[in-house]
PDB file of all heavy atoms in Angstrom:
ATOM      1  N   VAL A  18       0.809  -1.221   0.000  1.00  0.00           N
ATOM      2  CA  VAL A  18       0.000   0.000   0.000  1.00  0.00           C
ATOM      3  C   VAL A  18       0.839   1.266   0.000  1.00  0.00           C
ATOM      4  O   VAL A  18       0.302   2.375  -0.108  1.00  0.00           O
ATOM      5  CB  VAL A  18      -0.981   0.034   1.193  1.00  0.00           C
ATOM      6  CG1 VAL A  18      -1.834  -1.228   1.209  1.00  0.00           C
ATOM      7  CG2 VAL A  18      -0.242   0.196   2.516  1.00  0.00           C
ATOM      8  N   LYS A  19       2.142   1.109   0.117  1.00  0.00           N
ATOM      9  CA  LYS A  19       3.019   2.269   0.188  1.00  0.00           C
ATOM     10  C   LYS A  19       2.894   3.095  -1.085  1.00  0.00           C
ATOM     11  O   LYS A  19       2.857   2.557  -2.185  1.00  0.00           O
ATOM     12  CB  LYS A  19       4.461   1.799   0.384  1.00  0.00           C
ATOM     13  CG  LYS A  19       5.395   2.849   0.948  1.00  0.00           C
ATOM     14  CD  LYS A  19       6.726   2.206   1.319  1.00  0.00           C
ATOM     15  CE  LYS A  19       6.584   1.285   2.508  1.00  0.00           C
ATOM     16  NZ  LYS A  19       7.871   0.706   2.945  1.00  0.00           N
ATOM     17  N   GLY A  20       2.806   4.413  -0.900  1.00  0.00           N
ATOM     18  CA  GLY A  20       2.647   5.304  -2.045  1.00  0.00           C
ATOM     19  C   GLY A  20       1.199   5.535  -2.439  1.00  0.00           C
ATOM     20  O   GLY A  20       0.907   6.426  -3.252  1.00  0.00           O
ATOM     21  N   ARG A  21       0.287   4.738  -1.883  1.00  0.00           N
ATOM     22  CA  ARG A  21      -1.140   4.890  -2.209  1.00  0.00           C
ATOM     23  C   ARG A  21      -1.993   5.162  -0.972  1.00  0.00           C
ATOM     24  O   ARG A  21      -2.971   5.897  -1.053  1.00  0.00           O
ATOM     25  CB  ARG A  21      -1.655   3.622  -2.904  1.00  0.00           C
ATOM     26  CG  ARG A  21      -0.934   3.298  -4.208  1.00  0.00           C
ATOM     27  CD  ARG A  21      -1.608   2.123  -4.931  1.00  0.00           C
ATOM     28  NE  ARG A  21      -1.605   0.910  -4.127  1.00  0.00           N
ATOM     29  CZ  ARG A  21      -2.710   0.254  -3.779  1.00  0.00           C
ATOM     30  NH1 ARG A  21      -3.898   0.707  -4.147  1.00  0.00           N
ATOM     31  NH2 ARG A  21      -2.631  -0.860  -3.064  1.00  0.00           N
ATOM     32  N   PHE A  22      -1.654   4.550   0.154  1.00  0.00           N
ATOM     33  CA  PHE A  22      -2.425   4.691   1.383  1.00  0.00           C
ATOM     34  C   PHE A  22      -1.655   5.552   2.376  1.00  0.00           C
ATOM     35  O   PHE A  22      -0.426   5.451   2.476  1.00  0.00           O
ATOM     36  CB  PHE A  22      -2.680   3.342   2.026  1.00  0.00           C
ATOM     37  CG  PHE A  22      -3.618   2.432   1.278  1.00  0.00           C
ATOM     38  CD1 PHE A  22      -4.038   2.699  -0.018  1.00  0.00           C
ATOM     39  CD2 PHE A  22      -4.084   1.269   1.890  1.00  0.00           C
ATOM     40  CE1 PHE A  22      -4.889   1.846  -0.692  1.00  0.00           C
ATOM     41  CE2 PHE A  22      -4.942   0.410   1.225  1.00  0.00           C
ATOM     42  CZ  PHE A  22      -5.344   0.694  -0.068  1.00  0.00           C
ATOM     43  N   THR A  23      -2.400   6.355   3.148  1.00  0.00           N
ATOM     44  CA  THR A  23      -1.800   7.170   4.199  1.00  0.00           C
ATOM     45  C   THR A  23      -2.602   7.003   5.480  1.00  0.00           C
ATOM     46  O   THR A  23      -3.826   7.122   5.471  1.00  0.00           O
ATOM     47  CB  THR A  23      -1.791   8.652   3.800  1.00  0.00           C
ATOM     48  OG1 THR A  23      -1.073   8.820   2.574  1.00  0.00           O
ATOM     49  CG2 THR A  23      -1.130   9.500   4.890  1.00  0.00           C
ATOM     50  N   ILE A  24      -1.902   6.720   6.562  1.00  0.00           N
ATOM     51  CA  ILE A  24      -2.541   6.611   7.860  1.00  0.00           C
ATOM     52  C   ILE A  24      -2.296   7.898   8.636  1.00  0.00           C
ATOM     53  O   ILE A  24      -1.204   8.469   8.580  1.00  0.00           O
ATOM     54  CB  ILE A  24      -2.035   5.378   8.645  1.00  0.00           C
ATOM     55  CG1 ILE A  24      -2.838   5.169   9.923  1.00  0.00           C
ATOM     56  CG2 ILE A  24      -0.537   5.458   8.910  1.00  0.00           C
ATOM     57  CD1 ILE A  24      -2.538   3.848  10.627  1.00  0.00           C
ATOM     58  N   SER A  25      -3.320   8.355   9.348  1.00  0.00           N
ATOM     59  CA  SER A  25      -3.199   9.556  10.169  1.00  0.00           C
ATOM     60  C   SER A  25      -4.152   9.413  11.348  1.00  0.00           C
ATOM     61  O   SER A  25      -4.979   8.508  11.387  1.00  0.00           O
ATOM     62  CB  SER A  25      -3.519  10.808   9.350  1.00  0.00           C
ATOM     63  OG  SER A  25      -4.861  10.785   8.888  1.00  0.00           O
ATOM     64  N   ARG A  26      -4.026  10.332  12.300  1.00  0.00           N
ATOM     65  CA  ARG A  26      -4.919  10.294  13.453  1.00  0.00           C
ATOM     66  C   ARG A  26      -5.162  11.697  13.954  1.00  0.00           C
ATOM     67  O   ARG A  26      -4.341  12.590  13.773  1.00  0.00           O
ATOM     68  CB  ARG A  26      -4.350   9.411  14.560  1.00  0.00           C
ATOM     69  CG  ARG A  26      -3.088   9.923  15.206  1.00  0.00           C
ATOM     70  CD  ARG A  26      -2.446   8.844  16.094  1.00  0.00           C
ATOM     71  NE  ARG A  26      -3.292   8.492  17.230  1.00  0.00           N
ATOM     72  CZ  ARG A  26      -3.145   7.355  17.928  1.00  0.00           C
ATOM     73  NH1 ARG A  26      -2.191   6.498  17.593  1.00  0.00           N
ATOM     74  NH2 ARG A  26      -3.936   7.109  18.958  1.00  0.00           N
ATOM     75  N   ASP A  27      -6.301  11.867  14.603  1.00  0.00           N
ATOM     76  CA  ASP A  27      -6.652  13.114  15.267  1.00  0.00           C
ATOM     77  C   ASP A  27      -7.001  12.749  16.704  1.00  0.00           C
ATOM     78  O   ASP A  27      -8.099  12.253  16.972  1.00  0.00           O
ATOM     79  CB  ASP A  27      -7.833  13.786  14.556  1.00  0.00           C
ATOM     80  CG  ASP A  27      -8.163  15.155  15.131  1.00  0.00           C
ATOM     81  OD1 ASP A  27      -7.765  15.432  16.274  1.00  0.00           O
ATOM     82  OD2 ASP A  27      -8.830  15.926  14.444  1.00  0.00           O
ATOM     83  N   ASN A  28      -6.066  12.987  17.606  1.00  0.00           N
ATOM     84  CA  ASN A  28      -6.281  12.595  18.999  1.00  0.00           C
ATOM     85  C   ASN A  28      -7.332  13.448  19.690  1.00  0.00           C
ATOM     86  O   ASN A  28      -7.875  13.038  20.716  1.00  0.00           O
ATOM     87  CB  ASN A  28      -4.965  12.636  19.763  1.00  0.00           C
ATOM     88  CG  ASN A  28      -4.042  11.483  19.383  1.00  0.00           C
ATOM     89  OD1 ASN A  28      -4.474  10.488  18.800  1.00  0.00           O
ATOM     90  ND2 ASN A  28      -2.760  11.628  19.693  1.00  0.00           N
ATOM     91  N   THR A  29      -7.636  14.610  19.154  1.00  0.00           N
ATOM     92  CA  THR A  29      -8.707  15.427  19.745  1.00  0.00           C
ATOM     93  C   THR A  29     -10.082  14.843  19.423  1.00  0.00           C
ATOM     94  O   THR A  29     -11.062  15.141  20.103  1.00  0.00           O
ATOM     95  CB  THR A  29      -8.657  16.870  19.236  1.00  0.00           C
ATOM     96  OG1 THR A  29      -8.962  16.899  17.834  1.00  0.00           O
ATOM     97  CG2 THR A  29      -7.286  17.487  19.468  1.00  0.00           C
ATOM     98  N   LYS A  30     -10.123  14.003  18.391  1.00  0.00           N
ATOM     99  CA  LYS A  30     -11.379  13.370  17.989  1.00  0.00           C
ATOM    100  C   LYS A  30     -11.376  11.870  18.234  1.00  0.00           C
ATOM    101  O   LYS A  30     -12.335  11.177  17.862  1.00  0.00           O
ATOM    102  CB  LYS A  30     -11.651  13.635  16.502  1.00  0.00           C
ATOM    103  CG  LYS A  30     -11.843  15.097  16.156  1.00  0.00           C
ATOM    104  CD  LYS A  30     -12.135  15.286  14.678  1.00  0.00           C
ATOM    105  CE  LYS A  30     -12.361  16.764  14.346  1.00  0.00           C
ATOM    106  NZ  LYS A  30     -12.627  16.977  12.899  1.00  0.00           N
ATOM    107  N   ASN A  31     -10.294  11.361  18.834  1.00  0.00           N
ATOM    108  CA  ASN A  31     -10.180   9.921  19.095  1.00  0.00           C
ATOM    109  C   ASN A  31     -10.433   9.111  17.820  1.00  0.00           C
ATOM    110  O   ASN A  31     -11.155   8.102  17.845  1.00  0.00           O
ATOM    111  CB  ASN A  31     -11.168   9.473  20.185  1.00  0.00           C
ATOM    112  CG  ASN A  31     -10.667   9.744  21.579  1.00  0.00           C
ATOM    113  OD1 ASN A  31      -9.744  10.539  21.767  1.00  0.00           O
ATOM    114  ND2 ASN A  31     -11.277   9.119  22.565  1.00  0.00           N
ATOM    115  N   THR A  32      -9.828   9.551  16.736  1.00  0.00           N
ATOM    116  CA  THR A  32     -10.103   8.917  15.449  1.00  0.00           C
ATOM    117  C   THR A  32      -8.804   8.695  14.676  1.00  0.00           C
ATOM    118  O   THR A  32      -7.911   9.554  14.680  1.00  0.00           O
ATOM    119  CB  THR A  32     -11.058   9.789  14.606  1.00  0.00           C
ATOM    120  OG1 THR A  32     -12.277   9.989  15.321  1.00  0.00           O
ATOM    121  CG2 THR A  32     -11.383   9.123  13.277  1.00  0.00           C
ATOM    122  N   VAL A  33      -8.726   7.546  14.034  1.00  0.00           N
ATOM    123  CA  VAL A  33      -7.623   7.241  13.121  1.00  0.00           C
ATOM    124  C   VAL A  33      -8.214   7.060  11.728  1.00  0.00           C
ATOM    125  O   VAL A  33      -9.339   6.583  11.589  1.00  0.00           O
ATOM    126  CB  VAL A  33      -6.841   5.995  13.586  1.00  0.00           C
ATOM    127  CG1 VAL A  33      -7.725   4.755  13.619  1.00  0.00           C
ATOM    128  CG2 VAL A  33      -5.610   5.759  12.724  1.00  0.00           C
ATOM    129  N   TYR A  34      -7.444   7.468  10.737  1.00  0.00           N
ATOM    130  CA  TYR A  34      -7.924   7.455   9.353  1.00  0.00           C
ATOM    131  C   TYR A  34      -7.004   6.619   8.467  1.00  0.00           C
ATOM    132  O   TYR A  34      -5.822   6.468   8.753  1.00  0.00           O
ATOM    133  CB  TYR A  34      -7.961   8.888   8.790  1.00  0.00           C
ATOM    134  CG  TYR A  34      -8.781   9.846   9.601  1.00  0.00           C
ATOM    135  CD1 TYR A  34      -8.169  10.696  10.525  1.00  0.00           C
ATOM    136  CD2 TYR A  34     -10.158   9.909   9.460  1.00  0.00           C
ATOM    137  CE1 TYR A  34      -8.905  11.591  11.282  1.00  0.00           C
ATOM    138  CE2 TYR A  34     -10.913  10.802  10.217  1.00  0.00           C
ATOM    139  CZ  TYR A  34     -10.275  11.637  11.120  1.00  0.00           C
ATOM    140  OH  TYR A  34     -11.031  12.519  11.869  1.00  0.00           O
ATOM    141  N   LEU A  35      -7.575   6.127   7.386  1.00  0.00           N
ATOM    142  CA  LEU A  35      -6.776   5.502   6.338  1.00  0.00           C
ATOM    143  C   LEU A  35      -7.252   6.087   5.014  1.00  0.00           C
ATOM    144  O   LEU A  35      -8.351   5.781   4.547  1.00  0.00           O
ATOM    145  CB  LEU A  35      -6.942   3.983   6.341  1.00  0.00           C
ATOM    146  CG  LEU A  35      -6.009   3.246   5.377  1.00  0.00           C
ATOM    147  CD1 LEU A  35      -4.548   3.385   5.823  1.00  0.00           C
ATOM    148  CD2 LEU A  35      -6.386   1.773   5.261  1.00  0.00           C
ATOM    149  N   GLN A  36      -6.435   6.962   4.458  1.00  0.00           N
ATOM    150  CA  GLN A  36      -6.722   7.538   3.153  1.00  0.00           C
ATOM    151  C   GLN A  36      -6.191   6.598   2.089  1.00  0.00           C
ATOM    152  O   GLN A  36      -4.992   6.297   2.071  1.00  0.00           O
ATOM    153  CB  GLN A  36      -6.074   8.907   3.010  1.00  0.00           C
ATOM    154  CG  GLN A  36      -6.270   9.552   1.644  1.00  0.00           C
ATOM    155  CD  GLN A  36      -7.715   9.927   1.368  1.00  0.00           C
ATOM    156  OE1 GLN A  36      -8.394  10.476   2.244  1.00  0.00           O
ATOM    157  NE2 GLN A  36      -8.180   9.639   0.159  1.00  0.00           N
ATOM    158  N   MET A  37      -7.065   6.130   1.227  1.00  0.00           N
ATOM    159  CA  MET A  37      -6.696   5.149   0.217  1.00  0.00           C
ATOM    160  C   MET A  37      -6.888   5.764  -1.166  1.00  0.00           C
ATOM    161  O   MET A  37      -8.024   6.098  -1.543  1.00  0.00           O
ATOM    162  CB  MET A  37      -7.549   3.890   0.371  1.00  0.00           C
ATOM    163  CG  MET A  37      -7.502   3.294   1.766  1.00  0.00           C
ATOM    164  SD  MET A  37      -8.388   1.727   1.889  1.00  0.00           S
ATOM    165  CE  MET A  37     -10.050   2.277   1.554  1.00  0.00           C
ATOM    166  N   ASN A  38      -5.820   5.915  -1.890  1.00  0.00           N
ATOM    167  CA  ASN A  38      -5.858   6.471  -3.240  1.00  0.00           C
ATOM    168  C   ASN A  38      -5.455   5.415  -4.255  1.00  0.00           C
ATOM    169  O   ASN A  38      -4.841   4.404  -3.906  1.00  0.00           O
ATOM    170  CB  ASN A  38      -4.918   7.676  -3.341  1.00  0.00           C
ATOM    171  CG  ASN A  38      -5.294   8.802  -2.408  1.00  0.00           C
ATOM    172  OD1 ASN A  38      -6.476   9.020  -2.113  1.00  0.00           O
ATOM    173  ND2 ASN A  38      -4.305   9.533  -1.942  1.00  0.00           N
ATOM    174  N   MET A  39      -5.786   5.653  -5.506  1.00  0.00           N
ATOM    175  CA  MET A  39      -5.418   4.748  -6.609  1.00  0.00           C
ATOM    176  C   MET A  39      -5.790   3.309  -6.263  1.00  0.00           C
ATOM    177  O   MET A  39      -4.964   2.389  -6.370  1.00  0.00           O
ATOM    178  CB  MET A  39      -3.930   4.879  -6.909  1.00  0.00           C
ATOM    179  CG  MET A  39      -3.548   6.255  -7.414  1.00  0.00           C
ATOM    180  SD  MET A  39      -1.798   6.366  -7.830  1.00  0.00           S
ATOM    181  CE  MET A  39      -1.073   6.338  -6.197  1.00  0.00           C
ATOM    182  N   LEU A  40      -6.996   3.116  -5.834  1.00  0.00           N
ATOM    183  CA  LEU A  40      -7.431   1.792  -5.405  1.00  0.00           C
ATOM    184  C   LEU A  40      -7.406   0.792  -6.552  1.00  0.00           C
ATOM    185  O   LEU A  40      -7.676   1.138  -7.711  1.00  0.00           O
ATOM    186  CB  LEU A  40      -8.824   1.870  -4.787  1.00  0.00           C
ATOM    187  CG  LEU A  40      -8.842   2.421  -3.358  1.00  0.00           C
ATOM    188  CD1 LEU A  40     -10.228   2.911  -2.980  1.00  0.00           C
ATOM    189  CD2 LEU A  40      -8.359   1.365  -2.380  1.00  0.00           C
ATOM    190  N   LYS A  41      -7.074  -0.429  -6.198  1.00  0.00           N
ATOM    191  CA  LYS A  41      -6.988  -1.528  -7.152  1.00  0.00           C
ATOM    192  C   LYS A  41      -7.969  -2.633  -6.752  1.00  0.00           C
ATOM    193  O   LYS A  41      -8.319  -2.744  -5.563  1.00  0.00           O
ATOM    194  CB  LYS A  41      -5.573  -2.107  -7.155  1.00  0.00           C
ATOM    195  CG  LYS A  41      -4.470  -1.104  -7.409  1.00  0.00           C
ATOM    196  CD  LYS A  41      -3.108  -1.768  -7.268  1.00  0.00           C
ATOM    197  CE  LYS A  41      -1.984  -0.777  -7.491  1.00  0.00           C
ATOM    198  NZ  LYS A  41      -0.652  -1.420  -7.338  1.00  0.00           N
ATOM    199  N   PRO A  42      -8.381  -3.464  -7.688  1.00  0.00           N
ATOM    200  CA  PRO A  42      -9.274  -4.581  -7.321  1.00  0.00           C
ATOM    201  C   PRO A  42      -8.686  -5.462  -6.208  1.00  0.00           C
ATOM    202  O   PRO A  42      -9.441  -5.974  -5.366  1.00  0.00           O
ATOM    203  CB  PRO A  42      -9.417  -5.355  -8.631  1.00  0.00           C
ATOM    204  CG  PRO A  42      -9.265  -4.302  -9.683  1.00  0.00           C
ATOM    205  CD  PRO A  42      -8.218  -3.367  -9.146  1.00  0.00           C
ATOM    206  N   GLU A  43      -7.371  -5.601  -6.173  1.00  0.00           N
ATOM    207  CA  GLU A  43      -6.765  -6.436  -5.137  1.00  0.00           C
ATOM    208  C   GLU A  43      -6.801  -5.793  -3.754  1.00  0.00           C
ATOM    209  O   GLU A  43      -6.415  -6.413  -2.762  1.00  0.00           O
ATOM    210  CB  GLU A  43      -5.315  -6.805  -5.507  1.00  0.00           C
ATOM    211  CG  GLU A  43      -4.442  -5.637  -5.912  1.00  0.00           C
ATOM    212  CD  GLU A  43      -4.374  -5.444  -7.420  1.00  0.00           C
ATOM    213  OE1 GLU A  43      -5.425  -5.537  -8.092  1.00  0.00           O
ATOM    214  OE2 GLU A  43      -3.259  -5.193  -7.923  1.00  0.00           O
ATOM    215  N   ASP A  44      -7.258  -4.556  -3.662  1.00  0.00           N
ATOM    216  CA  ASP A  44      -7.461  -3.919  -2.358  1.00  0.00           C
ATOM    217  C   ASP A  44      -8.807  -4.306  -1.744  1.00  0.00           C
ATOM    218  O   ASP A  44      -9.088  -3.947  -0.600  1.00  0.00           O
ATOM    219  CB  ASP A  44      -7.392  -2.397  -2.484  1.00  0.00           C
ATOM    220  CG  ASP A  44      -6.029  -1.887  -2.886  1.00  0.00           C
ATOM    221  OD1 ASP A  44      -5.018  -2.414  -2.364  1.00  0.00           O
ATOM    222  OD2 ASP A  44      -5.978  -0.958  -3.727  1.00  0.00           O
ATOM    223  N   THR A  45      -9.623  -5.013  -2.494  1.00  0.00           N
ATOM    224  CA  THR A  45     -10.917  -5.446  -1.990  1.00  0.00           C
ATOM    225  C   THR A  45     -10.737  -6.327  -0.759  1.00  0.00           C
ATOM    226  O   THR A  45     -10.017  -7.332  -0.800  1.00  0.00           O
ATOM    227  CB  THR A  45     -11.682  -6.220  -3.072  1.00  0.00           C
ATOM    228  OG1 THR A  45     -11.998  -5.312  -4.149  1.00  0.00           O
ATOM    229  CG2 THR A  45     -12.971  -6.813  -2.517  1.00  0.00           C
ATOM    230  N   ALA A  46     -11.361  -5.933   0.348  1.00  0.00           N
ATOM    231  CA  ALA A  46     -11.200  -6.651   1.611  1.00  0.00           C
ATOM    232  C   ALA A  46     -12.089  -6.015   2.668  1.00  0.00           C
ATOM    233  O   ALA A  46     -12.635  -4.929   2.478  1.00  0.00           O
ATOM    234  CB  ALA A  46      -9.747  -6.612   2.063  1.00  0.00           C
ATOM    235  N   LEU A  47     -12.179  -6.705   3.775  1.00  0.00           N
ATOM    236  CA  LEU A  47     -12.775  -6.138   4.984  1.00  0.00           C
ATOM    237  C   LEU A  47     -11.640  -5.486   5.758  1.00  0.00           C
ATOM    238  O   LEU A  47     -10.626  -6.136   6.050  1.00  0.00           O
ATOM    239  CB  LEU A  47     -13.431  -7.244   5.804  1.00  0.00           C
ATOM    240  CG  LEU A  47     -14.314  -6.841   6.985  1.00  0.00           C
ATOM    241  CD1 LEU A  47     -15.470  -5.951   6.507  1.00  0.00           C
ATOM    242  CD2 LEU A  47     -14.870  -8.073   7.669  1.00  0.00           C
TER     243      LEU A  47
END
């Protein structure tokens, strides 16, 4: 996922994010 996905967090909102760009069929998953 390197170069396509970015992980970040906002501790003031108790939330973590996964930004996924240039998605591919092989990214299909739970």
Side-chain angles (χ1 to χ4, degrees):
V18 306
K19 200 170 291 183
R21 300 187 300 122
F22 291 11
T23 302
I24 187 171
S25 63
R26 66 191 295 161
D27 185 340
N28 287 343
T29 67
K30 297 181 179 179
N31 279 17
T32 301
V33 61
Y34 304 98
L35 187 67
Q36 177 67 44
M37 306 185 296
N38 299 328
M39 296 183 288
L40 283 161
K41 305 175 181 179
E43 50 264 43
D44 295 319
T45 294
L47 190 59

